[in-house]
Amino acid sequence: MNRTRVFLVTVLSAAALFVVGTLAWRTISGEGGGSGLAATRPEIIRIRVVAAVPVEQWVSAAAEEFKADGRSTEGTTIEVEVIPMDGLVALGKWERNSFAALDREVLPGELHRDEHEALQDFPTVWIADGRYLVEIANASFRGQFGQDRFLSDGQYRVRPLAKTLLVWGLFRSRGVPLLENLGPISWSTVHKAAGAPTGWKELGGDPAWGNFKLAVSASGGSVSGSAAIIAAAGEFFEKAEVTVEDVSDPSFAIWLTELLEAATDLSGGGTSTAESAAIFGYTAGDGGQFLESELLQNMEGIQTRWQEPIVLHYPSVTTWFDFPFAIWVGPETSALQKNAALAFQEFLLSEAQQQRALEFGLRPVDPGVAVDAEAGSLFERWQRLGVQKEVLAVEEMRPANRDVLSALARWRDLNEGQ
């Protein structure tokens, strides 16, 4: 090897050592610069999960077990933070970009350290109340970013976790005379009960009970409240899919107003209609429409405090909730976070966690897990109060689209302003 070649080899080797040394120093010192070059793999990866209120307790309990088991991905321990949030509230935040997603022209590698740190608060997962909310959000993302941010296929596809549905519930003492005099409970019979001039006196109950009181999220400001109003519209118009024209129809508006004059709507501040029934008893309502899971979770409190249960009645037309696990695939979350979210999704879909869902009144999506598969199943415990192990004889309302939800919001604003 001649002297020139030796010199070139020496220079190139020194340059390589300098680059490696510089990168090593930046890794050790944390000086990643604006390019985010960085780094060693972190010991802990944190993911934030925005979860629908009806599944938050189950998901939070699962997150604690997940952490206790020391679950990891690619050698990195996973920690899960669960944030309860109503689906309509979360949808509004996605559509207004309140979570601060990056502009489509900005890449994470162009961010400075403080901007990278701000992304640590960005949700990795959204567990909405229903798949239709995810689809509405994706329609908004196509306008903002030019593409979906929650996928319908592939490794990170949206997958449902558990199920529940809207059911009727009546305090036993109220249900007996109501059913005898008006027949099976429905929005039509509730409308008749609400309009009875002398209240329970003519409904066959104790006159001291006063007028019939309806427990329902009357304002429609929550997912379950809007679903209840859509179900009422479906029964009124005798169809499973309602339109903007339907919910804006003056005759329906008059009928709905008359019906909801009986509504107490004591829920609020994160309190479900079922929780209100457990706290306030008959003041919250003689009966009403509840999420099955929330009613089952609160049945012990209802019986203990008011010395009688609420009996379940399944409507002929209802709304199902399937709580899809949607992983954000945009650049705001790292590949490690996405894979950590996938690991948590698989944990929630495991047989053990599907059985655990029964303790929270949720129906498993795993067809191999029966609703009485777990000793602590609320379906087994409260079966004597009308709980159906299999719900077959109901028609499902089709989900609302963005236009229908907007029409309901306008109705709510007008109704609250009166």
Side-chain angles (χ1 to χ4, degrees):
M1 181 180 293
N2 60 35
R3 189 173 298 175
T4 301
R5 186 170 297 175
V6 170
F7 176 75
L8 287 173
V9 170
T10 302
V11 170
L12 290 173
S13 298
L17 287 172
F18 175 78
V19 171
V20 170
T22 300
L23 290 175
W25 169 252
R26 287 185 174 183
T27 298
I28 294 170
S29 64
E31 294 180 7
S35 64
L37 280 175
T40 57
R41 191 174 298 281
E43 293 183 3
I44 296 174
I45 186 72
R46 293 181 176 86
I47 61 172
R48 304 184 86 215
V49 177
V50 174
V53 176
V55 293
E56 181 271 325
Q57 292 186 28
W58 170 53
V59 174
S60 292
E64 290 298 320
E65 288 188 45
F66 191 77
K67 179 180 179 180
D69 289 349
R71 298 300 180 109
S72 63
T73 182
E74 302 176 41
T76 300
T77 301
I78 305 168
E79 289 188 359
V80 181
E81 178 187 2
V82 181
I83 305 160
M85 191 177 298
D86 179 80
L88 290 184
V89 175
L91 176 62
K93 286 181 175 290
W94 288 120
E95 292 186 322
R96 295 189 302 272
N97 198 22
S98 298
F99 293 119
L102 301 174
D103 291 336
R104 68 171 75 186
E105 296 84 6
V106 178
L107 298 176
E110 301 171 352
L111 301 178
H112 293 285
R113 178 175 295 276
D114 57 342
E115 294 172 313
H116 268 294
E117 290 175 352
L119 287 180
Q120 297 307 305
D121 292 331
F122 195 89
T124 316
V125 174
W126 181 27
I127 304 175
D129 303 71
R131 178 66 178 261
Y132 73 100
L133 294 171
V134 177
E135 293 172 352
I136 292 173
N138 266 335
S140 177
F141 297 149
R142 290 179 208 122
Q144 294 181 56
F145 313 116
Q147 58 185 291
D148 292 353
R149 286 301 195 230
F150 300 119
L151 303 182
S152 58
D153 56 16
Q155 181 182 20
Y156 300 120
R157 68 187 183 278
V158 175
R159 299 180 66 184
L161 296 177
K163 297 184 294 182
T164 194
L165 71 161
L166 285 173
V167 299
W168 290 106
L170 294 168
F171 274 104
R172 177 174 283 163
S173 61
R174 272 58 169 174
V176 171
L178 189 71
L179 299 175
E180 286 181 353
N181 286 278
L182 296 181
I185 186 169
S186 65
W187 287 108
S188 176
T189 55
V190 167
H191 183 267
K192 292 176 183 177
T198 59
W200 278 107
K201 181 178 180 180
E202 64 185 271
L203 293 174
D206 187 339
W209 297 342
N211 293 320
F212 174 81
K213 294 177 289 298
L214 174 65
V216 69
S217 182
S219 69
S222 64
V223 171
S224 59
S226 62
I229 292 176
I230 289 169
E235 184 176 317
F236 182 85
F237 292 104
E238 298 183 343
K239 57 184 183 179
E241 182 174 11
V242 297
T243 64
V244 173
E245 290 73 23
D246 293 331
V247 297
S248 303
D249 187 298
S251 62
F252 172 67
I254 293 171
W255 179 86
L256 183 63
T257 300
E258 292 171 346
L259 185 153
L260 293 181
E261 284 178 352
T264 55
D265 195 23
L266 295 177
S267 62
T271 303
S272 70
T273 307
E275 288 176 303
S276 295
I279 296 169
F280 301 106
Y282 315 113
T283 303
D286 300 303
Q289 193 153 82
F290 307 88
L291 279 180
E292 180 190 52
S293 59
E294 293 179 341
L295 186 54
L296 294 180
Q297 286 183 57
N298 285 279
M299 192 66 78
E300 178 68 30
I302 292 169
Q303 282 209 135
T304 300
R305 186 159 188 171
W306 304 103
Q307 287 76 56
E308 72 165 303
I310 287 180
V311 179
L312 280 73
H313 302 266
Y314 289 78
S316 58
V317 179
T318 190
T319 298
W320 281 93
F321 300 74
D322 62 357
F323 307 107
F325 189 101
I327 300 173
W328 180 266
V329 296
E332 294 77 9
T333 57
S334 68
L336 195 60
Q337 285 176 308
K338 293 177 177 67
N339 290 334
L342 194 62
F344 186 52
Q345 179 193 77
E346 292 171 353
F347 183 75
L348 289 169
L349 291 171
S350 67
E351 183 177 352
Q353 290 304 314
Q354 289 288 289
Q355 289 182 351
R356 185 77 192 280
L358 299 171
E359 299 176 20
F360 297 87
L362 295 163
R363 294 176 179 266
V365 292
D366 184 343
V369 179
V371 296
D372 56 357
E374 170 66 31
S377 169
L378 296 183
F379 298 91
E380 182 73 13
R381 182 177 183 184
W382 303 116
Q383 187 177 2
R384 60 186 174 81
L385 299 178
V387 176
Q388 294 182 6
K389 290 186 177 182
E390 293 187 46
V391 182
L392 300 175
V394 298
E395 183 177 3
E396 183 175 2
M397 288 296 300
R398 293 188 181 89
N401 58 33
R402 159 48 68 198
D403 292 336
V404 171
L405 289 179
S406 296
L408 284 178
R410 288 192 297 271
W411 173 88
R412 184 175 68 250
D413 292 341
L414 289 172
N415 187 65
E416 291 178 347
Q418 293 177 352

